[in-house]
């Protein structure tokens, strides 16, 4: 027969047995995050002990703030106007009545928390700290219930065991979450590095088509790679001769549409009456001379890229039709009764100031903004003079391959003139200059300064105008006689070199100089490298 003492002992240990039950422990251990753990622990305590409420507050990464799940406010761990700071500082549990909490503590967030609690209720606050060597603070547990129920928890072995299990699982999950977060950050960093390296590799590949190592060209190649990764319409703007057609082809070749067609048209080169047919196509009999149906460029570019050069010259009526293609992907050929679908990527280019044309009502504002989803500004040659030597060498190689000429170089004196030259026609003008100089250079020789066409040759000889019989017309503003004499001598030699096609022997004979003396003067005057 069970004695009264045994019954009392059994009753006291009932709570310990209930809290230490294996299913309850498993619920904590199987939690997949600290948030889930806190929610499960609070719910278990509330249900098993018959409490009014239970909550676990956590210390954030800074160690200064106690947070509540659900963004319901936070508490400063160093502010003793609420009891949580006392518990963390002392490391001991604290029990107080709600009535005392309301009258003695003036923390606004804490008062808001206890406002909904009954005046006869009690708060039991327990510190939660990891049991490992670091002993880091995890947070506090807040239990609300009757005084008798909470008093029995103070030294209850089951509650102590529950705290220990909770803290152990919490610390483990926190470490795992920290490791997962660090792993994600590392993976994200590696992904960004790999992505950056991939983009840089693609930009480097473009250096064979978009020549130049100036900062402006490096930036342009990076932007081309980014543009190619999207399906956005690209608007290329820049001065004439900056290579907009090359950029358009580069965008196509790097894009997911690279296996599709690349169709190009210069809107300024096609008469207005024919441009619509070129773009949209026409049905048989659509107009006089339309003996058979014809596919337009929009149809031919399906699955690929359509490049519209000089879009600023497109008539307003066609601009409206093009806008509809961009917005709906649908169009109707001239004279056709049914609409067709087009899946294409549009790249447009212009050297004209489209914003001014919009103000003058010569270009549609809605089309401008639709075309400019990914705007790219191409730098003029004056902003990338460091690339002139690279471009010149490339144009020389192209000329020699095209014309079947032996390899040739270019003298430093010629390069210096190229660097000083103005290029309103940009890269296209430089190419024309080089092609002319290559054609004028004798077989086996290098391009020399006197062979460059245009205003630089004229400027070089204008320092002293030479005539065959009448002498010189000297400028009036000479302030350096030695330099003026060098300019006159240089102008004379340049003129004779042009006259005799670069034949040094004939030039020396015409000037009454030994060939060695002429060669020395050419070197001093930086007319060549020989």
């Amino acid at each position: 027969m069970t004695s009264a003492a045994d019954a009392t002992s059994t009753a006291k240990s009932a709570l310990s047995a209930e809290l230490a039950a294996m299913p309850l422990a498993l619920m904590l251990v199987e939690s997949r995050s600290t948030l889930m753990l806190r929610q499960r622990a609070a719910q278990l305590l509330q249900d098993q002990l018959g409490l009014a409420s239970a909550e676990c507050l956590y210390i954030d990464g800074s160690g200064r703030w106690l947070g509540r799940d659900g963004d319901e406010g936070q508490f400063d761990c160093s502010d003793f106007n609420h009891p949580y700071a006392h518990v963390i500082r002392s490391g001991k549990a604290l029990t107080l009545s709600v009535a005392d909490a309301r009258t003695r503590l003036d923390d606004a967030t804490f008062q808001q928390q206890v406002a909904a609690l009954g005046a006869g209720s009690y708060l039991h606050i327990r510190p939660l700290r990891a049991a490992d060597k670091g002993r880091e603070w995890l947070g506090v547990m807040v239990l609300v219930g009757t005084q008798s129920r909470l008093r029995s928890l103070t030294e209850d072995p089951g509650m102590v065991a529950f705290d220990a299990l909770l803290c152990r699982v919490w610390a483990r999950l926190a470490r795992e979450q920290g490791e997962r977060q660090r792993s994600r950050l590392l993976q994200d960093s590696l992904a960004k590095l790999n992505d950056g390296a991939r983009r840089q590799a693609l930009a480097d590949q473009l250096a064979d088509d978009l020549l130049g190592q100036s900062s402006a060209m490096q930036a342009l190649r990076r932007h081309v790679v980014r543009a190619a990764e999207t399906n956005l319409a690209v608007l290329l703007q820049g001065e004439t001769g900056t290579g907009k057609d090359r950029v358009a082809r580069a965008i196509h070749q790097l894009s997911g549409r690279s296996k599709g067609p690349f169709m190009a048209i210069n809107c300024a080169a096609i008469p207005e009456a024919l441009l619509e047919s070129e773009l949209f196509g026409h049905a048989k009999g659509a107009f006089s001379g339309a003996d058979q149906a014809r596919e337009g460029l929009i149809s031919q570019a399906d699955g690929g890229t359509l490049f519209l050069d000089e879009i600023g010259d497109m008539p307003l009526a066609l601009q409206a039709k093009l806008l509809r293609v961009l917005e709906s992907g649908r169009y109707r050929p001239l004279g056709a009764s049914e609409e067709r679908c087009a899946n294409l990527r549009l790249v447009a280019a212009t050297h004209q100031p489209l914003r001014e044309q919009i103000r003058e009502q010569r270009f549609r504002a809605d089309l401008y903004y639709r075309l400019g989803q990914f705007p790219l500004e191409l730098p003029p040659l004056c902003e990338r003079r460091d690339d002139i030597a690279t471009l010149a060498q490339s144009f020389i190689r192209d000329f020699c391959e095209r014309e079947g000429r032996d390899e040739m170089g270019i003298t430093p004196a010629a390069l210096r003139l190229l660097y000083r030259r103005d290029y309103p026609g940009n890269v296209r003008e430089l190419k024309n200059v080089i092609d002319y100089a290559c054609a004028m250079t004798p077989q086996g020789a290098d391009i020399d300064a006197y062979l460059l066409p245009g205003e630089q040759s004229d400027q070089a000889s204008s320092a002293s105008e030479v005539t065959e019989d009448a002498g010189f017309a000297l400028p009036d503003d000479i302030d350096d006689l030695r330099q003026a004499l060098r300019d006159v001598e240089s102008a004379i030699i340049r003129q004779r070199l042009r006259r005799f096609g670069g034949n040094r022997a004939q030039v020396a004979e015409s000037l009454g100089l030994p060939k060695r003396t002429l060669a020395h003067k050419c070197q001093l005057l930086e007319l060549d490298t020989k």
Side-chain angles (χ1 to χ4, degrees), residues 86-227:
H86 290 277
V87 171
I88 292 174
R89 177 62 62 88
S90 65
K92 297 179 181 179
L94 172 67
T95 302
L96 74 160
S97 68
V98 171
D100 286 345
R102 288 176 178 173
T103 57
R104 297 171 56 186
L105 302 172
D106 59 1
D107 182 274
T109 306
F110 179 73
Q111 289 300 327
Q112 183 179 3
Q113 182 183 6
V114 300
L117 303 177
S121 301
Y122 277 75
L123 292 170
H124 181 64
I125 306 168
R126 303 175 68 89
L128 299 176
R129 195 172 188 179
D132 58 10
K133 185 166 58 177
R135 297 278 293 167
E136 77 268 18
W137 282 104
L138 302 172
V140 296
M141 182 188 299
V142 183
L143 308 178
V144 180
T146 63
Q147 183 179 22
S148 59
R149 171 60 75 182
L150 296 177
R151 184 182 295 144
S152 65
L153 298 179
T154 304
E155 299 298 336
D156 187 274
M159 193 66 200
V160 174
F162 186 86
D163 284 357
L165 179 61
L166 173 62
C167 291
R168 183 178 294 275
V169 177
W170 190 335
R172 175 178 61 80
L173 288 174
R175 285 193 295 270
E176 290 176 356
Q177 287 178 210
E179 291 172 359
R180 285 196 295 270
Q181 184 177 11
R182 286 191 293 272
S183 177
R184 284 195 299 270
L185 290 174
L186 179 59
Q187 290 175 357
D188 291 344
S189 298
L190 289 175
K192 289 179 180 178
L193 286 173
N194 292 335
D195 201 36
R198 178 186 62 81
R199 286 174 174 157
Q200 187 59 51
L202 291 174
D204 292 342
Q205 291 177 19
L206 286 178
D208 293 335
D209 291 324
L210 306 180
L211 297 174
Q213 292 303 318
S214 62
S215 58
M217 284 305 295
Q218 292 183 35
L220 176 62
R221 288 195 290 265
R222 289 194 296 269
H223 292 156
V224 167
V225 171
R226 286 299 186 99

Side-chain angles (χ1 to χ4, degrees), residues 6 63 65 137 170 256 313 319 338 344 377 446 471 499 516:
D6 292 338
W65 299 96
W137 282 104
W170 190 335
D313 292 302
Q319 291 178 28
E338 296 182 354
L344 55 84
E377 188 75 26
D446 292 337
R499 180 189 301 176
R516 181 175 298 181

Side-chain angles (χ1 to χ4, degrees), residues 84 95-96 149 281 308 311 345 349 358 456 477 482-483:
Y84 307 140
T95 302
L96 74 160
R149 171 60 75 182
L308 299 181
I311 188 75
R345 204 272 185 79
I358 291 172
Q456 291 298 335
D477 57 348
R482 291 184 179 181
Q483 184 60 46

Side-chain angles (χ1 to χ4, degrees), residues 440-454:
M440 295 299 293
T441 299
Q443 191 76 24
D446 292 337
I447 296 175
D448 209 342
Y450 69 90
L451 295 170
L452 297 175

Side-chain angles (χ1 to χ4, degrees), residues 221-445:
R221 288 195 290 265
R222 289 194 296 269
H223 292 156
V224 167
V225 171
R226 286 299 186 99
E229 293 175 344
T230 74
N231 278 311
L232 299 176
V234 179
L235 179 60
L236 306 177
Q237 292 183 285
E239 297 178 8
T240 183
T242 50
K244 293 185 283 290
D245 55 339
R246 283 181 171 266
V247 172
R249 288 185 179 275
I251 292 173
H252 171 73
Q253 291 166 1
L254 292 182
S255 71
R257 299 174 177 268
S258 59
K259 294 182 180 179
F262 177 86
M263 307 304 298
I265 186 172
N266 189 321
C267 299
I270 307 295
E272 181 176 341
L274 298 179
L275 184 56
E276 183 175 2
S277 176
E278 287 290 326
L279 285 176
F280 295 92
H282 61 258
K284 182 178 179 180
F287 51 84
S288 178
D291 298 331
Q292 57 184 2
R294 178 182 177 184
E295 296 290 330
L297 292 178
I298 291 177
S299 175
Q300 296 176 49
D302 190 40
T305 303
L306 175 62
F307 174 48
L308 299 181
D309 199 4
E310 299 302 344
I311 188 75
D313 292 302
M314 177 175 284
L316 280 169
L318 275 188
Q319 291 178 28
K321 294 184 178 181
L322 177 62
L323 178 63
R324 185 169 184 272
V325 175
L326 292 175
E327 291 183 338
S328 67
R330 305 183 68 82
Y331 70 100
R332 179 177 296 175
L334 284 173
S337 58
E338 296 182 354
E339 288 188 333
R340 299 183 183 181
C341 294
N343 176 18
L344 55 84
R345 204 272 185 79
L346 184 69
V347 179
T350 181
H351 73 281
Q352 299 186 23
L354 292 184
R355 289 185 179 274
E356 292 184 11
Q357 287 191 300
I358 291 172
R359 287 193 293 269
E360 297 169 0
Q361 297 184 346
R362 291 189 293 119
F363 199 86
R364 295 179 61 102
D366 48 5
L367 178 59
Y368 171 75
Y369 292 116
R370 186 61 178 79
L371 291 173
Q373 290 179 322
F374 200 115
L376 278 178
E377 188 75 26
L378 275 65
L381 190 56
C382 64
E383 294 181 5
R384 43 179 297 220
R385 290 187 179 274
D386 292 345
D387 296 332
I388 288 177
T390 302
L391 291 167
Q393 295 289 354
S394 175
F395 296 151
I396 292 171
R397 287 193 299 270
D398 290 345
F399 178 89
C400 292
E401 291 177 6
R402 187 172 66 249
E403 301 294 332
R405 291 280 300 271
D406 293 339
E407 292 185 5
M408 69 178 73
I410 184 168
T411 67
L415 276 178
R416 278 189 287 274
L417 283 180
L418 291 178
Y419 280 126
R420 293 197 294 267
R421 185 187 183 104
D422 291 328
Y423 294 95
N426 292 289
V427 178
R428 183 183 293 118
E429 180 179 348
L430 175 62
K431 182 180 185 304
N432 292 340
V433 168
I434 294 298
D435 283 349
Y436 174 85
C438 287
M440 295 299 293
T441 299
Q443 191 76 24

